[in-house]
Amino acid sequence: MFSCDHLLGPCASRLAAAGPAFTGTPAFAKMLSSSDFASASWELVVRVDHPNEEEQKDITLRVSGDLHIGGVMLKLVEQINIPRDWSDFALWWEQKHCWLLKTHWTLDKCGVQADAKLLFTPQHKMLRLRLPNMRTVRLWVSFSAVVFKAVGDICRALNIRRSEELSLLKPSGDYFKKKKKKEKNNKDPVIEDILNLEGSPTISGPRVSPGLYSKTMTPTYDPVSGTPASSTMTWFSDSPLAEQNCSILAFSQPPQSPEALADMYQPRSLVDKAKLNAGWLDSSRSLMEQGIQEDEQLLLRFKYYTFFDLNPKYDAVRINQLYEQARWAILLEEIDCTEEEMLIFAALQYHISKLSSSAETQDFTSESEVDEVEAALSNLEVTLEGGKADNTLEDITDIPKLADNLRLFRPKKLILKAFKQYWFVFKDTSIAYFKNKELEQGEPIEKLNLRGCEVVPDVNVAGRRFGIKLLIPVADGMNEVYLRCDHENQYAQWMAACILASKGKTMADSSYQPEVLNILSFLRMKNRNSASQVAPGLENMDMNPECFVSPRCAKKHKSKQLAARILEAHQNVAQMLLVEAKLRFIQAWQSLPEFGLTYYLVRFKGSKKDDILGVSYNRLIRIDAATGIPITTWRFTNMKQWNVNWEIRQVAIEFDQNVSIAFTCLSADCKIVHEYIGGYIFLSTRSKDQNETLDEDLFHKLTGGQE
């Protein structure tokens, strides 16, 4: 405390000289010597979110600049004088749109002055989340933690491992448009089926960082019914799902009616698909900072299409939600597939729906059956890893090669599609072809380097067409080549080799044989049985076939015809167990040409027209917005650096061989695209050796863009 005598100046000396005759203290002296003036304090108005009260109340505090945030909160609680647990409350600064969470910082350090509008509000608020299976859950979520952490807490509450693969998406206005229109015309309001998880462990108890899961703490599921084994049931004691049915999210929802399906938003073009991806939240900022309101509805979705360590033992909920996201992507045509593929997806959906509703799936499974399921699923592991294999064991001195007669076609204008036979040799990551086998030791007609190429299946099993479309990057765009195989086995071997070569791997890689088996398995599912086998099933048909295909596909066929074709395809999957069928569905989804591509409308530097940018787990693709044809592909493995010019909102990327690109994003904020690229690079660093922990700082470093 300092003295104010020096401020009084000559007046003070005159008052002292007045001696004992002057016994009173002047009013102005009282005012100037007050502690308020001495401490340079000021009034701060804080609005308080009172629990159980609708209106917010203003409280005025007298504070000084050297008072820390924790002290402000303590003064508030003392003045409110309501006995309750205030530990979840924190200060939100409205003008700056930020939380004041560093309680040891002073008001001066934070920059808070008398004009600041502060709100004393709970950090955890209710949020409605629509899950991939279209089920809505309502639970407490941290509005002050960055979205990356908040999603980790949400996934822990829902028993979903690998939370880093998911994120929150704010749906565009189109997403609920049709539904709202329907509700307007209906007399009866539509009551949404909401699963309330108000006892979420994200509020009380120690925080668990996303990804910190131990095999000893993770529940083991019955691979048939999806319910947790009794020995691990106690793990659920902290989860809100324990009070209800802990396997409720591991079971598939009943099929939607064709009418409900037709009323859902379906993107019709790549530009429409780009709009769907505009609403991804920034993982490095909190919900409150991004304008999310209490009890608002967001979508919880798998954002990154690289599914690490997908294990039927521990991932019943995760596998089911992944299956549901894939199912809706097919039904709403968010990803394109052929009619033949649509029928395979329909057959698998029908099979999964039957098993899910059957009482038999609720029975406990014996250990021998568990082993049988594990054996049946073992060959799916590499495919479901999302293209990232463990340490590969390659013998450089003896890399396998393929050599056979194939037919080749190069599309040219005004020339009919005619395939010509050549002798092909596949070695390392290249294909060379010769006029015939005898000339193999000489110079090839052409050598195609497949590293970084796009590999697209061109298959019609019923029509005995087994084709491979290769889009090979060259200096001025893409070199388009079609190969045609004679039978399934030849196609599976060459297709698997092409897929691995596009990722820079050879046939010596440990994932080659499983890839061949997976392709053969998918072809067998497409292989139709004779109609005579299906005829008896039609008489006792227990399905509405329009529930299992997209509305556009349903319009092309009569109901009985569609049912017959679905039952025909079902014969090939009828013996599968529930989890196996879901994983097969996911695998078939992964085999589609467009799988894993997230679209954005962009304008490349130097271009006069808009293009579509496709972002995948290992590459970027420039696509013609009008035709949907890929123009150029750039691999992340060739990327040297990428950054953002925040002033003009432009993403710039440098690749090997002096290749550089720059673009502005038109359908979303450039931060979203930047985060996608950094997120995929971050996920590629995951390893089973890391004891399942995540380097969150590295994630923010790669995705933040140093804004």
Side-chain angles (χ1 to χ4, degrees), residues 202-441:
T202 58
I203 291 188
S204 60
R207 301 284 170 141
V208 177
S209 300
L212 285 177
Y213 287 92
S214 160
K215 291 281 170 79
T216 56
M217 288 183 64
T218 308
T220 301
Y221 293 92
D222 180 320
V224 176
S225 69
T227 55
S230 55
S231 59
T232 57
M233 196 70 162
T234 52
W235 188 87
F236 285 94
S237 58
D238 289 337
S239 171
L241 290 176
E243 296 169 16
Q244 301 175 50
N245 182 352
C246 52
S247 64
I248 199 164
L249 300 179
F251 278 100
S252 304
Q253 295 288 93
Q256 286 274 10
S257 69
E259 294 77 26
L261 202 56
D263 278 326
M264 291 183 173
Y265 177 72
Q266 295 168 59
R268 293 298 181 199
S269 66
L270 284 178
V271 175
D272 287 344
K273 291 175 184 178
K275 287 178 186 173
L276 291 176
N277 297 304
W280 287 109
L281 297 189
D282 186 337
S283 297
S284 303
R285 294 196 297 150
S286 68
L287 291 171
M288 198 98 155
E289 287 171 319
Q290 298 180 69
I292 304 302
Q293 304 296 316
E294 186 169 5
D295 216 34
E296 189 170 337
Q297 178 151 300
L298 298 176
L299 311 181
L300 179 69
R301 292 287 183 271
F302 287 88
K303 177 179 181 179
Y304 298 104
Y305 294 91
T306 169
F307 316 125
F308 187 70
D309 188 29
L310 199 60
N311 192 322
K313 269 189 178 181
Y314 312 111
D315 290 322
V317 176
R318 184 175 167 218
I319 288 170
N320 184 59
Q321 296 301 325
L322 198 48
Y323 156 71
E324 290 283 353
Q325 184 160 326
R327 182 169 81 91
W328 285 107
I330 300 292
L331 291 176
L332 299 179
E333 296 187 356
E334 290 173 15
I335 185 168
D336 290 339
C337 65
T338 65
E339 192 171 297
E340 188 178 45
E341 288 162 341
M342 181 71 78
L343 292 169
I344 294 298
F345 288 121
L348 283 165
Q349 285 179 72
Y350 172 60
H351 184 62
I352 291 164
S353 176
K354 277 182 70 176
L355 290 180
S356 298
S357 60
S358 168
E360 293 174 2
T361 62
Q362 307 301 324
D363 298 334
F364 185 73
T365 318
S366 68
E367 284 187 23
S368 61
E369 286 173 314
V370 173
D371 293 339
E372 199 176 300
V373 173
E374 285 184 8
L377 298 177
S378 61
N379 68 327
L380 284 173
E381 188 178 351
V382 174
T383 305
L384 297 174
E385 286 288 328
K388 186 179 188 326
D390 294 327
N391 297 331
T392 55
L393 301 172
E394 288 196 10
D395 181 359
I396 306 298
T397 60
D398 186 26
I399 294 175
K401 76 171 186 177
L402 287 174
D404 212 339
N405 283 310
L406 300 177
R407 282 164 292 155
L408 176 136
F409 163 72
R410 285 182 176 282
K412 292 178 183 175
K413 289 181 181 178
L414 305 175
I415 294 179
L416 293 173
K417 196 171 185 177
F419 283 86
K420 193 172 179 182
Q421 185 167 294
Y422 295 98
W423 178 256
F424 282 81
V425 177
F426 198 133
K427 189 157 186 181
D428 294 329
T429 57
S430 300
I431 293 179
Y433 62 94
F434 308 83
K435 195 170 183 181
N436 53 50
K437 185 178 180 179
E438 287 69 33
L439 298 174
E440 183 183 331
Q441 301 308 318

Side-chain angles (χ1 to χ4, degrees), residues 69-338:
I69 299 297
V72 174
M73 292 162 68
L74 191 62
K75 275 180 173 256
L76 266 173
V77 171
E78 286 173 353
Q79 201 155 324
I80 293 167
N81 198 24
I82 297 175
R84 61 153 291 152
D85 181 4
W86 295 95
S87 61
D88 190 47
F89 277 64
L91 289 169
W92 167 256
W93 191 355
E94 289 187 9
Q95 295 109 313
K96 298 283 186 181
H97 223 61
C98 69
W99 287 93
L100 301 176
L101 298 176
K102 294 181 177 174
T103 52
H104 60 287
W105 279 25
T106 63
L107 292 174
D108 281 345
K109 189 169 183 178
C110 293
V112 174
Q113 296 177 344
D115 61 345
K117 293 180 181 177
L118 301 184
L119 175 67
F120 193 49
T121 185
Q123 296 175 65
H124 287 82
K125 302 175 188 292
M126 270 294 175
L127 197 65
R128 285 178 299 134
L129 295 175
R130 182 172 280 199
L131 303 183
N133 66 348
M134 299 296 179
R135 185 88 188 255
T136 300
V137 297
R138 195 166 175 266
L139 73 170
W140 294 100
V141 176
S142 173
F143 272 58
S144 62
V146 296
V147 166
F148 188 84
K149 269 191 192 300
V151 171
D153 288 339
I154 290 165
C155 288
R156 182 174 181 270
L158 302 178
N159 299 312
I160 299 174
R161 291 197 313 148
R162 303 294 177 191
S163 63
E164 67 274 12
E165 294 169 2
L166 298 95
S167 194
L168 298 175
L169 179 66
K170 188 172 183 178
S172 65
D174 293 332
Y175 189 82
F176 297 115
K177 196 197 307 185
K178 286 192 176 182
K179 184 180 173 186
K180 284 182 178 174
K181 189 179 178 184
K182 186 184 175 188
E183 285 175 2
K184 202 175 181 181
N185 297 334
N186 270 353
K187 290 180 182 176
D188 301 322
V190 176
I191 300 170
E192 192 175 16
D193 179 22
I194 296 178
L195 176 62
N196 270 303
L197 305 179
E198 295 187 30
S200 171
T202 58
I203 291 188
S204 60
R207 301 284 170 141
V208 177
S209 300
L212 285 177
Y213 287 92
S214 160
K215 291 281 170 79
T216 56
M217 288 183 64
T218 308
T220 301
Y221 293 92
D222 180 320
V224 176
S225 69
T227 55
S230 55
S231 59
T232 57
M233 196 70 162
T234 52
W235 188 87
F236 285 94
S237 58
D238 289 337
S239 171
L241 290 176
E243 296 169 16
Q244 301 175 50
N245 182 352
C246 52
S247 64
I248 199 164
L249 300 179
F251 278 100
S252 304
Q253 295 288 93
Q256 286 274 10
S257 69
E259 294 77 26
L261 202 56
D263 278 326
M264 291 183 173
Y265 177 72
Q266 295 168 59
R268 293 298 181 199
S269 66
L270 284 178
V271 175
D272 287 344
K273 291 175 184 178
K275 287 178 186 173
L276 291 176
N277 297 304
W280 287 109
L281 297 189
D282 186 337
S283 297
S284 303
R285 294 196 297 150
S286 68
L287 291 171
M288 198 98 155
E289 287 171 319
Q290 298 180 69
I292 304 302
Q293 304 296 316
E294 186 169 5
D295 216 34
E296 189 170 337
Q297 178 151 300
L298 298 176
L299 311 181
L300 179 69
R301 292 287 183 271
F302 287 88
K303 177 179 181 179
Y304 298 104
Y305 294 91
T306 169
F307 316 125
F308 187 70
D309 188 29
L310 199 60
N311 192 322
K313 269 189 178 181
Y314 312 111
D315 290 322
V317 176
R318 184 175 167 218
I319 288 170
N320 184 59
Q321 296 301 325
L322 198 48
Y323 156 71
E324 290 283 353
Q325 184 160 326
R327 182 169 81 91
W328 285 107
I330 300 292
L331 291 176
L332 299 179
E333 296 187 356
E334 290 173 15
I335 185 168
D336 290 339
C337 65
T338 65

